[in-house]
Amino acid sequence: MSASNNAQITPYISREQIALRIQEMAKKINADYTGQEIVALCTLKGSVLFFADIVRELKIPLRFEFLGTSSYGHGTTSSGEVKVTLDLNSPISDQHVIVFEDIVDSGLTLSFVLDYLRARKPASIKTATLLFKPTALKKPIKPDYVGFEIPNDFVIGYGMDYAEKYREMPYIGVLKP
Ligand code: IMP
Ligand code: MG
């Protein structure tokens, strides 16, 4: 598959690998939260496909929340500025929240999201990210559940975009200019 502007997509993590890893992550979450109810919080837009797939593997009572954040604009490096583009629509106070993220890169977004949510006094917060770039991290945060640790490459597909493109790809690829 070749993208516009001569960008090249190299397949990186297949649909099958993603599905298997999500089952393993869900198994761990199911075990950790036995007997509890959770708020499953999807950050928009990148986490939509990951969220849709993992919630189907969860066996604990849950409700959905969505939080829209944006930090990237149209480049491939974080602007460092995070803003809320869509707010929660119910309180999360005294509830157990799991934040589902597509990818933790610099960690600026997740760290902003955690501060934002903590101010709403949940009983607990944990984070589950499909992808984690440990070498890109600029904030002292550690996601509780990680799908794949990846090097500092720019990835697309399975919810993740470059300038709003490629989100619908069912697998994850690396974008080379
Ligand atoms: P961070 O704030 O640098 O950790 O990045 C957070 C957000 O930027 C992620 O939730 C993604 O939506 C987006 N992002 C970071 N790295 C990539 C990438 O390699 N491809 C696509 N989007 C990314
Ligand atoms: Mg995201």
Side-chain angles (χ1 to χ4, degrees), residues 43 46-47 71-72 78 82 101-110 133 153-156 160-162 167:
T43 58
S47 311
S71 73
Y72 261 50
S78 180
V82 183
E101 261 285 21
D102 48 354
I103 181 165
V104 177
D105 181 8
S106 67
L108 292 166
T109 305
L110 187 56
K133 296 182 189 171
D153 288 325
F154 194 79
V155 292
I156 42 133
M160 290 167 287
D161 73 309
Y162 172 67
R167 291 194 194 275

Side-chain angles (χ1 to χ4, degrees), residues 43-64:
T43 58
L44 298 175
K45 306 172 189 169
S47 311
V48 164
L49 299 193
F50 171 48
F51 185 77
D53 283 343
I54 198 163
V55 292
R56 279 180 271 194
E57 304 290 336
L58 296 180
K59 313 256 185 280
I60 44 181
L62 57 83
R63 67 178 181 86
F64 289 5

